[in-house]
Amino acid sequence: MSENKNFHLPDLGEGLPDATIVEWFVKEGDVITLDEPLVSMETAKAVVEVPSPFSGKVLKLAGGAGDIIPTGSVLAQFELDPNLPQRADGQDTGHSHGHAAPAATPSTGQPAPAQPDKVVASDDGGEIAKPGAERDDAGTVVGAMQSSNAVHAEQAVAVGGVKAVPAVRATARKLGVDLGRVRATGADGAVTMADVKQAAADGSAKVGAAPAAAAAPVAAAAPVAAAVPVSRAADARAPLSAAGKPMRTQPPGVVAKGQPEPLKGVRRNMARVMADAHSKVVPTTLNDDADIHAWVPGNDVTARLVRAIVVGCQKVPALNAWFDGDALTRTLHAHVDVGIAVDTDDGLFVPALRNADVLDARGIREGVNRLREQVEARSIAASELSGYTISLSNFGMFAGRYATPVVVPPCVAIVGAGRARHQMTPVMGGVEAHKVIPLSVTFDHRAATGGEAARFLRAMLDDLALAN
């Protein structure tokens, strides 16, 4: 008799509570082998391709594209095939897929609590210890995934005859691009991110659009085919029926404007992080203008802002720190890792520019460009999106002068740079038009004093006033 197994969505990165289905690579009834691509999932930090943990027939898939699946919930159900390779219990992962050992904690499939802080994914998203609710499998293995700090390049997977990495597929879905009609320019015929964006820009591969070959109907049928869209369009526009009576219109669909929709991926995580920060931090903001009249041509605004932050951190270490509000402890950092806020259509990313205190202007620019490119391609490692010691929001590249940027724990401070402008400045013997950059420094008043924040801002202003 064949055995059925449930696969529970594992934690795809640093305690994330859920993930969004981007695309299934199989359908119910298909036979899949161990470690073949099963589904593409979007988390708050990346688009992750999840391989199958079993070999056998797919009995059930939990949800469709766009559905949010809580971590620990059943993602898929399999009927194991004894004639196909299966992973041995605990192989490569430390999680078991076999029957629970006699000494296992109920419903987790884990040995007796040698590691009390380790939680195994369950139907409720966490460890269950309810008597009588024992489960045969832990179901949390993602292929042969191993814990590591190494960054692995995504592989383009052929689905439906089209090769593309999960991030490209997710972007195509959001932009309404049919990957099957995109001209691929990548290696081995893979569709790249640039291919998808180009197709979205020129409208050459819209989902649901008729193929070019079908756009030229037979001559005899041309009048009829042409008349149908006109009639339908007229019906759609007419508020009255042919008899002149009011028509009942259909309610707007779930994708229509004004309809609530669940936040997903990065934007969903942003909502959680901002709410958490608002509930914990005691924010205070100082504003001033940096006079950059003395700058020589060729100065990089972002590089100068990062350098000024480094100078401020070196003179006032209290703002280059982490604060634990529960334990009331503060950690001062000797190095300066600057979180660079990157705005995208999906939401806010804050990758870390590591060791900014030892980088020159060119190194800062190259580092910022690399981080931005990785964010836009959704190829940035999760480890690059945390661990910064202070952050910068250069919102002035769009608009705005001053702001109250949000401090995200455990950081103590964030710097906001507004849109540069010219203003009349008093000088000896008259006034001059000087270019200035508005600055806003928000700090957690639990961890730093107003005097420390003011001295930090003063150090930034003095550095930005230098010619180069």
Side-chain angles (χ1 to χ4, degrees):
M1 182 176 178
S2 60
E3 180 183 7
N4 293 349
K5 287 279 190 177
N6 288 335
F7 176 40
H8 300 262
L9 178 65
D11 181 359
L12 298 177
E14 300 184 4
L16 297 176
D18 51 45
T20 302
I21 297 173
V22 174
E23 181 178 16
W24 287 105
F25 299 136
V26 296
K27 61 183 182 295
E28 293 180 359
D30 285 354
V31 174
I32 190 172
T33 58
L34 181 69
D35 289 335
E36 278 190 339
L38 174 67
V39 64
S40 176
M41 305 291 295
E42 181 181 18
T43 71
K45 299 182 178 180
V47 177
V48 181
E49 183 182 289
V50 180
S52 173
F54 307 114
S55 293
K57 182 180 180 180
V58 179
L59 297 179
K60 186 177 180 181
L61 301 177
D67 289 345
I68 299 171
I69 307 297
T71 299
S73 296
V74 174
L75 185 60
Q77 186 180 54
F78 299 84
E79 179 183 309
L80 301 192
D81 188 334
N83 298 318
L84 294 176
Q86 304 290 347
R87 177 167 294 108
D89 287 355
Q91 178 182 344
D92 294 324
T93 61
H95 294 281
S96 173
H97 281 286
H99 293 279
T105 302
S107 86
T108 64
Q110 290 294 311
Q115 295 177 313
D117 60 335
K118 189 172 185 178
V119 179
V120 180
S122 69
D123 288 338
D124 292 332
E127 183 173 345
I128 303 177
K130 188 188 299 180
E134 216 166 49
R135 191 175 65 226
D136 284 342
D137 62 294
T140 55
V141 175
V142 183
M145 180 182 290
Q146 296 182 355
S147 178
S148 170
N149 290 326
V151 179
H152 301 280
E154 289 183 302
Q155 298 297 317
V157 178
V159 179
V162 179
K163 293 183 68 175
V165 299
V168 170
R169 295 182 183 277
T171 300
R173 184 178 297 276
K174 290 175 181 176
L175 296 180
V177 172
D178 182 354
L179 282 177
R181 302 176 60 192
V182 175
R183 181 175 176 273
T185 62
D188 298 326
V191 177
T192 67
M193 190 70 73
D195 297 337
V196 170
K197 291 182 178 180
Q198 179 61 40
D202 59 29
S204 61
K206 291 183 179 179
V207 172
V218 181
V224 178
V228 171
V230 175
S231 174
R232 287 176 180 170
D235 291 342
R237 289 195 302 268
L240 302 177
S241 68
K245 296 181 180 180
M247 294 178 60
R248 181 183 297 276
T249 59
Q250 292 184 347
V254 294
V255 296
K257 290 183 178 179
Q259 295 295 319
E261 60 179 17
L263 297 180
K264 300 174 184 177
V266 180
R267 197 171 293 274
R268 187 179 182 88
N269 187 65
M270 179 182 69
R272 290 194 183 103
V273 170
M274 294 296 108
D276 180 69
H278 181 71
S279 68
K280 293 180 178 178
V281 174
V282 180
T284 305
T285 303
L286 297 180
N287 301 311
D288 211 329
D289 294 323
D291 191 324
I292 61 172
H293 181 67
W295 281 17
V296 297
N299 269 285
D300 184 320
V301 175
T302 301
R304 288 298 303 268
L305 287 170
V306 170
R307 191 185 80 176
I309 289 174
V310 169
V311 171
C313 290
Q314 291 172 339
K315 292 189 176 181
V316 188
L319 270 69
N320 186 46
W322 289 345
F323 179 71
D324 186 335
D326 295 327
L328 293 180
T329 58
R330 182 181 69 166
T331 303
L332 301 181
H333 299 284
H335 63 282
V336 182
D337 290 350
V338 181
I340 305 294
V342 178
D343 179 68
T344 73
D345 292 338
D346 294 326
L348 178 68
F349 287 81
V350 186
L353 180 65
R354 305 293 183 191
N355 301 310
D357 49 314
V358 298
L359 297 176
D360 58 11
R362 180 179 177 182
I364 292 173
R365 172 45 57 193
E366 291 176 349
V368 170
N369 288 345
R370 175 183 59 82
L371 294 173
R372 186 177 296 278
E373 290 170 0
Q374 291 179 347
V375 164
E376 291 177 350
R378 296 300 296 272
S379 62
I380 191 164
S383 59
E384 296 294 326
L385 296 171
S386 60
Y388 44 87
T389 60
I390 191 171
S391 49
L392 167 65
S393 174
N394 190 9
F395 61 86
M397 62 190 299
F398 303 114
R401 290 190 181 181
Y402 309 103
T404 54
V406 179
V407 177
V408 177
C411 288
V412 170
I414 178 174
V415 175
R419 190 170 184 81
R421 70 183 191 278
H422 286 87
Q423 70 176 21
M424 301 308 294
T425 304
V427 297
M428 189 67 69
V431 294
E432 293 179 352
H434 285 196
K435 192 173 186 179
V436 298
I437 297 178
L439 296 180
S440 302
V441 177
T442 297
F443 64 99
D444 188 343
H445 217 324
R446 300 175 302 167
T449 68
E452 288 169 329
R455 289 192 292 274
F456 173 89
L457 180 55
R458 179 74 264 169
M460 284 194 65
L461 297 175
D462 292 343
D463 186 73
L464 287 169
L466 300 177
N468 49 42

